[in-house]
Amino acid sequence: MFRGTRRLALVSAIATAAMLLTACSGGGAPEPSPTSAGEPDPDATLHVGLVLAPTNFDIRHTSGAALEQVLIDNIYEGLVTRTPENEIVTKLASDYDISDDGLTYTFTLNEGITFHNGTPLTSADVVASYETVRTDPTVQGNAEFADIASITAVDPATVVIVLNTPNQNFLFSLTGPAGLVFQSGDTTDLQTAENGTGPFTITRWNKGNALTLSRYDAYWGDEAGVAEVDVQYIDDFSAGVNAAIAGNVQVLTAVDPNLVSQFDGTDFTLTTGRTTDKATLAFNNAKAPLDDPRVREALRLAIDREALIEAVGAGQALYGPIPELDPGYEDLSDVVSYDPEKARELLAEAGQEDLELTLTIPSFYGTTVPKVLISDYEKIGVTLEVEPVEFAAWLQDVYTDHDYDLSFVLHVEPRDFSNFANPDYYFGYDNAEVQELYARALATVDPDDSAELLAEAARIVSEDHAADWLYNGATITAVGPEVSGFPKDSINSRLDLAGVTVSAEK
C-alpha cells in the first residue's frame, strides 16, 4: 500500500482504518463461529450492519475497503480469490498451472459462468479485462500488471498470462480489484449499477445508507445461502449497537470494544477476527536524530505495549512489519521489549538526553495513542509534541514531503512489506540488504522459500528499528443466534456472504 502510483488507495485505506480504529479487540485466538439453532431458511433475508458506505460501485476506478468489502466475491469475481486467512484459492478458474520458471500462468475457466445480464463468460472477457488493467493507468491495479508480457485467450476456456520476470505476488494481485473480470464491451454504468458474475446482484441502493443484495439464481457455483442481504451502513458505533439489540440487524461488524458490555445478557455471540492492520509508529529514518538506530531503539523500548493495547482496546502486539496473516510472519518479540531504563541509557549514549520530537498524526485518529506515547516518552526524558493535522496536510507534509519526526497511521493492506524496501517511501529507510532480500523474495518461484526470505528481511527491519508496530488490529463482530457461517477474519476489507445462512428459528 501507499506507493505514489496508488495515492488514492492510500487515502481510502487510511480513512477506512480511521473509521475502524476503535473497532478492535484484545488478542487471543478468534472464537468459533456460532451455529444456528434451526435449519437454514433459503428464503431468508440476512440483515447486516456495516460502517463504511461506498460512494459508487465503480471498483475499477475507485479504491477503498468499502467497495472491496461488499463487491468482491459477492458481485464481481476473479480467476482466483483469497480466503479470510489470506490463502489463495480458485474462483472463476477451475484450476491453474504455473510454469517451473514462474513466468507462465495458465488458467482454465469453470463451465456455465454467466454475467448477471445472462451473457456467457469466455476467456475473451478475461483478456479484455486484464488488458484494460495493464494498459490504463486510471484503472485500479495498473501498477501490479506492469510486468506482464502477454495475455492470451488460447481457447474459450483457457487464458495464458506470461510475465517478463517471476513475481511471487502476482497471483495474490489477481485476488484484488486488478483481477476482477468484466464483460467485454459492456456499457453498464458501473458508477450506479453492476454486471458481475457473483452469487448476488444489487437490487436496491440508498446511497450512503443501505443496499440490498439479491441471490443470482443463474449463478454458476453453489447458490447463496440466503435470498437477500439487507446491508445497513451505520457509522455511529453506539447507533450500531442499538440497532443490533433492537433487532434491526442480525450481524453488526466493527463493534467498538468500549461498547461490548452492552451485549451482556443478549443472545448475540461476539467473535474476534484477525486483520492485516498494522498500527505503525513511523520514524523518519532520513532525519536526525532519528537516523541514529540507538534513538529509534530507545523510542521502541519506552513503549508499554500491553498498556497501550489495553487503552486502545485493539488487537495483539506486533514487533515487526509483517502481520500473522501474511507470508514471512515471525514472532519478533525477542527484538525489543518494554525497558525504559535501557532506553534512557541508549539516549545518553547517543547524546540525546533532552530530546524533543513532534508526532504528526491525522486528526481523525483521536487522542488515545498520542496520550500513551506522551506519557511513555516523558518517563525516558523525551518531550513529545503532538500535531494533529487534516488528512490533506498529512499527505502533503508527511507522505509527500517527508517533513516530520514521528507519525502514526494504520497500514491496512496485506503484503505491503515493499514499503521498507523502497528508500523513497516516507519512512526514509534505506537498507541495501533488505532491498536485495525483498527482490529475491519476489523473484523466487517457491512460496516457502519466498516466505523465508521475507522473514529474514523483516527481522533486519525490526532489528534496525526502522519503525515501531504498536499492535496488529482485530475486529469484533456481534452475530445473532439465527446466523451461521458469518466470516470472522479480514472482514473490514473482504466479506464473502455466499456461505452465510439464516435459520427460521432462533
Side-chain angles (χ1 to χ4, degrees):
M1 189 178 88
F2 296 57
R3 285 176 293 180
T5 55
R6 304 181 65 187
R7 185 183 179 101
L8 184 57
L10 164 68
V11 176
S12 300
I14 294 183
T16 299
M19 291 296 297
L20 301 178
L21 179 60
T22 58
C24 301
S25 170
E31 297 85 346
S33 294
T35 55
S36 61
E39 289 297 317
D41 177 6
D43 298 321
T45 296
L46 171 68
H47 299 274
V48 179
L50 303 181
V51 175
L52 292 173
T55 58
N56 65 70
F57 296 138
D58 188 2
I59 195 169
R60 304 203 86 178
H61 297 92
T62 308
S63 68
L67 277 175
E68 294 190 30
Q69 184 182 46
V70 74
L71 294 185
I72 295 182
D73 291 333
N74 296 312
I75 303 298
Y76 294 110
E77 299 173 307
L79 295 175
V80 292
T81 189
R82 61 179 185 260
T83 68
E85 297 76 32
N86 273 351
E87 296 176 357
I88 299 172
V89 295
T90 56
K91 196 66 172 182
L92 294 177
S94 59
D95 57 60
Y96 61 87
D97 177 76
I98 305 174
S99 62
D100 291 342
D101 61 7
L103 296 178
T104 303
Y105 291 68
T106 303
F107 298 90
T108 303
L109 298 178
N110 279 294
E111 298 179 354
I113 302 172
T114 63
F115 290 96
H116 292 160
N117 64 3
T119 304
L121 175 144
T122 71
S123 58
D125 297 299
V126 179
V127 172
S129 297
Y130 290 3
E131 281 289 358
T132 297
V133 178
R134 187 178 71 86
T135 60
D136 187 345
T138 70
V139 173
Q140 293 298 307
N142 170 259
E144 298 167 35
F145 277 23
D147 206 36
I148 291 179
S150 64
I151 310 169
T152 308
V154 176
D155 58 50
T158 308
V159 175
V160 175
I161 301 175
V162 179
L163 306 182
N164 290 310
T165 57
N167 184 344
Q168 186 63 225
N169 278 346
F170 177 69
L171 199 63
F172 190 81
S173 72
L174 293 184
T175 69
L180 299 177
V181 177
F182 298 81
Q183 182 182 342
S184 177
D186 188 21
T187 59
T188 300
D189 181 2
L190 298 183
Q191 289 276 324
T192 58
E194 55 82 12
N195 183 28
T197 60
F200 293 101
T201 63
I202 297 176
T203 53
R204 182 178 69 93
W205 183 35
N206 181 358
K207 186 176 180 179
N209 296 306
L211 62 83
T212 299
L213 307 180
S214 297
R215 180 193 290 131
Y216 177 47
D217 291 329
Y219 183 57
W220 61 273
D222 295 334
E223 69 174 12
V226 294
E228 286 188 341
V229 179
D230 169 44
V231 177
Q232 299 180 38
Y233 290 102
I234 311 170
D235 60 9
D236 180 279
F237 294 118
S238 294
V241 172
N242 292 336
I245 294 175
N248 296 326
V249 295
Q250 297 159 312
V251 178
L252 180 66
T253 64
V255 176
D256 187 327
N258 297 313
L259 303 176
V260 162
S261 62
Q262 295 192 28
F263 286 99
D264 292 348
T266 72
D267 51 8
F268 280 89
T269 297
L270 299 180
T271 64
T272 302
R274 297 171 294 170
T275 73
T276 56
D277 298 0
K278 301 161 289 293
T280 305
L281 179 63
F283 302 148
N284 192 341
N285 287 250
K287 179 181 179 181
L290 295 159
D291 57 349
D292 188 332
R294 295 171 298 182
V295 174
R296 301 195 300 265
E297 181 178 5
L299 295 177
R300 296 187 73 191
L301 291 167
I303 298 171
D304 185 345
R305 284 169 180 73
E306 185 175 332
L308 185 144
I309 291 172
E310 183 177 354
V312 175
Q316 60 186 13
L318 182 65
Y319 297 90
I322 298 180
E324 185 180 2
L325 291 177
D326 280 352
Y329 169 75
E330 179 187 2
D331 180 0
L332 295 175
S333 57
D334 60 304
V335 174
V336 67
S337 59
Y338 179 49
D339 193 341
E341 181 60 35
K342 183 178 178 182
R344 284 190 291 268
E345 293 173 359
L346 284 170
L347 289 176
E349 181 181 323
Q352 300 292 341
E353 292 95 335
D354 299 313
L355 185 58
E356 296 180 1
L357 295 170
T358 299
L359 174 72
T360 307
I361 180 172
S363 55
F364 51 55
Y365 279 122
T367 61
T368 301
V369 169
K371 285 181 178 178
V372 172
L373 294 177
I374 289 171
S375 176
D376 284 347
Y377 286 161
E378 185 179 18
K379 295 171 185 175
I380 64 167
V382 173
T383 300
L384 185 66
E385 177 184 349
V386 177
E387 183 180 357
V389 297
E390 294 299 317
F391 186 55
W394 185 92
L395 273 175
Q396 185 61 51
D397 296 342
V398 177
Y399 180 69
T400 301
D401 295 340
H402 305 179
D403 183 15
Y404 76 104
D405 295 332
L406 310 180
S407 188
F408 173 79
V409 164
L410 252 70
H411 285 248
V412 303
E413 284 194 355
R415 301 200 185 195
D416 61 356
F417 181 80
S418 60
N419 296 339
F420 290 96
N422 177 10
D424 296 326
Y425 197 64
Y426 82 95
F427 296 151
Y429 177 66
D430 189 356
N431 185 305
E433 184 179 6
V434 168
Q435 294 159 24
E436 190 265 341
L437 286 168
Y438 181 66
R440 286 172 55 197
L442 285 185
T444 298
V445 175
D446 187 287
D448 292 334
D449 291 344
S450 177
E452 289 181 8
L453 290 166
L454 287 171
E456 184 179 350
R459 175 168 287 277
I460 294 171
V461 169
S462 186
E463 291 176 344
D464 276 351
H465 311 289
D468 200 4
W469 303 272
L470 303 180
Y471 56 87
N472 184 186
T475 56
I476 303 174
T477 303
V479 183
E482 67 273 32
V483 177
S484 289
F486 199 86
K488 300 188 299 294
D489 295 331
S490 304
I491 63 173
N492 56 346
S493 60
R494 188 66 62 93
L495 187 57
D496 185 351
L497 295 169
V500 183
T501 61
V502 176
S503 66
E505 305 176 13
K506 289 188 178 182

